[in-house]
């Protein structure tokens, strides 16, 4: 579905039309039931008919509600895309295709810049923490896919870049998980991995080229999703290369487990990206236990202020104690993809601002796909997507 034709508005209109159509259907169903009820009065089948009627009326009501909700979300996305519409009308490149949309969970959207059915090179990027079908998705994740397509087309004009929001990412920010590592689980990534592989099998099947070059891209928690998809039987369908950005780990011990060969696994990990330095589970448990114990002791000595100071001190002391026991290759979800033990190709990225000293917060975690914020990283990603991974600039592994 081409962007220039207003796909979001058309899709919203279709959802509203379907909702409107269901009104008369519901009325006709009720009238038909009344006719049947009149002819079966006093018979046992009447109770069955009433049950059937109630079940179908609830289904129709639910479908009407879903269509109404989806139409509202689509129109909101269309409003957020107003500036992008103007830019595309002015330039028209790359064309945008709406491949999928839905209101399941936190929302679903699959958008491609460039035609994925005709391009020789196709990438599918899975966003991570906090992603939902909202204004941030439009302004950030869709822009990243568009920037990737533009960058890849500098090396091979026949390139398309997809952003795939086909799962429910944890609704946490990078800042949230830094203090709440115990709430991070792989469940959503594992569910998303199944859906991602189903989508990727379709990409390979519908592409007109005999052997398209396909790249799976995962950022943040999305890299765990891609990693889990790659470790399923058969790996990511059609994938030739895998790119992991700002990764907290994939659940794999080495790049060899991702199904494309370690020389085709590429990792971007900024030195000042806190997510790529998430503590291993043993360290996180130690921090939590130490912080709790420190808070109790601190409170006994100095009230609320003492509790806070004790929590910080206890957590830090426990972290370093556990750190001495932990394997330095390990982060939250297995081996650090940027570590030499993992065996992937770590490409050069900017270090990014330091979270505290430079006041950068988690900016280094969000810059990988942005040519404005990290030109070298975006260029390296574009080269891999365009099938020119041998030409990237490399960085020493950790």
């Amino acid at each position: 579905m081409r962007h220039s034709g207003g796909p979001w508005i058309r899709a919203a209109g279709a959802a509203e039309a379907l909702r409107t159509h269901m009104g008369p259907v519901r009325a006709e169903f009720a009238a038909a039931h009344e006719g049947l009820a009149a002819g079966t009065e006093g018979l046992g089948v009447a109770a069955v008919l009433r049950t059937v009627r109630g079940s179908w009326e609830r289904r129709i009501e639910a479908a009407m509600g879903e269509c109404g909700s989806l139409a509202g979300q689509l129109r909101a996305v269309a409003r957020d895309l107003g500036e992008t519409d103007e830019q595309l009308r002015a330039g028209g490149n790359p064309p945008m295709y709406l491949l999928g949309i839905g209101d399941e969970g936190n929302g679903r959207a699959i958008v491609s810049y460039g035609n994925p059915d005709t391009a020789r090179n196709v990438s599918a990027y899975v966003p991570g923490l906090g992603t939902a079908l909202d204004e941030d998705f439009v302004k950030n994740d869709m822009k990243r896919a568009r920037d990737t397509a533009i960058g890849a087309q500098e090396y091979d004009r026949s390139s398309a870049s997809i952003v795939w929001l086909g799962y429910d990412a944890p609704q946490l920010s990078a800042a949230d998980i830094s203090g709440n590592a115990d709430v991070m689980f792989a469940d959503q990534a594992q569910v998303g991995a199944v859906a991602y592989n189903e989508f990727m099998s379709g990409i390979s099947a519908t592409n007109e080229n005999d052997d398209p070059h396909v790249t799976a891209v995962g950022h943040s928690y999305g890299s765990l999703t891609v990693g889990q998809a790659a470790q399923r039987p058969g790996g990511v369908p059609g994938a030739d290369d895998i790119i992991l950005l700002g990764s907290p780990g994939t659940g794999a011990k080495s790049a060899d487990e991702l199904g494309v060969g370690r020389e085709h696994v590429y990792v971007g990990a900024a030195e000042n990206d806190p997510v790529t330095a998430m503590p291993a589970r043993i360290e996180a448990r130690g921090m939590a236990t130490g912080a709790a114990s420190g808070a109790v002791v601190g409170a006994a000595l100095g009230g609320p202020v003492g509790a806070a100071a004790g929590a910080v001190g206890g957590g830090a002391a426990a972290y370093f104690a556990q750190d001495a026991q932990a394997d330095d290759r390990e982060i939250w979800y297995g081996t650090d993809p940027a570590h030499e033990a993992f065996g992937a190709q770590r490409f050069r990225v900017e270090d990014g601002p330091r979270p505290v000293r430079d006041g950068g917060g988690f900016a280094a975690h969000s810059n990988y796909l942005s040519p404005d914020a990290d030109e070298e990283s975006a260029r390296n990603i574009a080269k891999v997507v365009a099938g020119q991974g041998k030409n990237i600039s490399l960085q020493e592994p950790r």
Side-chain angles (χ1 to χ4, degrees), residues 276-288 290 314-332 336 339:
T276 69
M278 283 180 66
R281 293 175 188 243
I282 185 174
E283 295 166 346
R285 286 196 297 268
M287 290 171 69
Y319 171 82
F320 288 114
Q322 293 280 22
D323 188 47
Q325 303 173 42
D327 189 332
D328 68 356
R329 297 172 296 182
E330 298 295 308
I331 53 176
W332 189 251
D336 178 0
H339 197 282

Side-chain angles (χ1 to χ4, degrees), residues 29 33 47-61:
F29 182 82
H33 174 82
V48 175
L49 287 173
R50 284 194 295 272
T51 301
V52 171
R53 177 183 179 179
S55 174
W56 275 102
E57 285 185 339
R58 286 192 296 273
R59 293 182 187 185
I60 292 172
E61 286 290 339

Side-chain angles (χ1 to χ4, degrees), residues 149-354:
I150 292 172
Q153 288 177 8
E154 291 182 8
Y155 301 100
D156 187 337
R157 294 297 301 169
S158 186
S159 298
S161 172
I162 298 168
V163 55
W164 182 85
L165 179 57
Y167 80 122
D168 286 329
Q171 294 303 293
L172 298 168
S173 68
D176 289 331
I177 63 166
S178 68
N180 296 279
D182 58 321
V183 305
M184 287 289 290
F185 299 104
D187 306 45
Q188 287 156 294
Q190 291 165 353
V191 172
V194 176
Y196 183 69
N197 279 354
E198 290 175 355
F199 171 75
M200 294 299 278
S201 66
I203 287 295
S204 297
T206 60
N207 192 280
E208 296 175 2
N209 295 280
D210 291 335
D211 186 20
H213 172 252
V214 177
T215 305
V217 184
H219 172 239
S220 187
Y221 190 86
S223 70
L224 174 62
T225 303
V226 168
Q228 291 292 299
Q231 292 171 77
R232 293 187 62 78
V236 177
D240 300 287
D241 293 310
I242 291 175
I243 301 176
L244 308 172
L245 305 169
S247 180
T250 63
K253 292 183 178 180
S254 84
D256 294 323
E257 297 176 31
L258 301 187
V260 295
R262 61 172 51 200
E263 69 278 7
H264 290 283
V265 178
Y266 301 87
V267 175
E271 284 305 304
N272 293 322
D273 179 353
V275 173
T276 69
M278 283 180 66
R281 293 175 188 243
I282 185 174
E283 295 166 346
R285 286 196 297 268
M287 290 171 69
T289 303
S293 301
V296 172
V297 175
L301 297 176
V305 174
V312 173
Y319 171 82
F320 288 114
Q322 293 280 22
D323 188 47
Q325 303 173 42
D327 189 332
D328 68 356
R329 297 172 296 182
E330 298 295 308
I331 53 176
W332 189 251
Y333 294 112
T335 304
D336 178 0
H339 197 282
E340 62 180 353
F342 194 74
Q345 296 200 64
R346 185 186 184 191
F347 57 84
R348 189 170 297 282
V349 305
E350 295 289 339
D351 288 345
R354 291 170 293 188

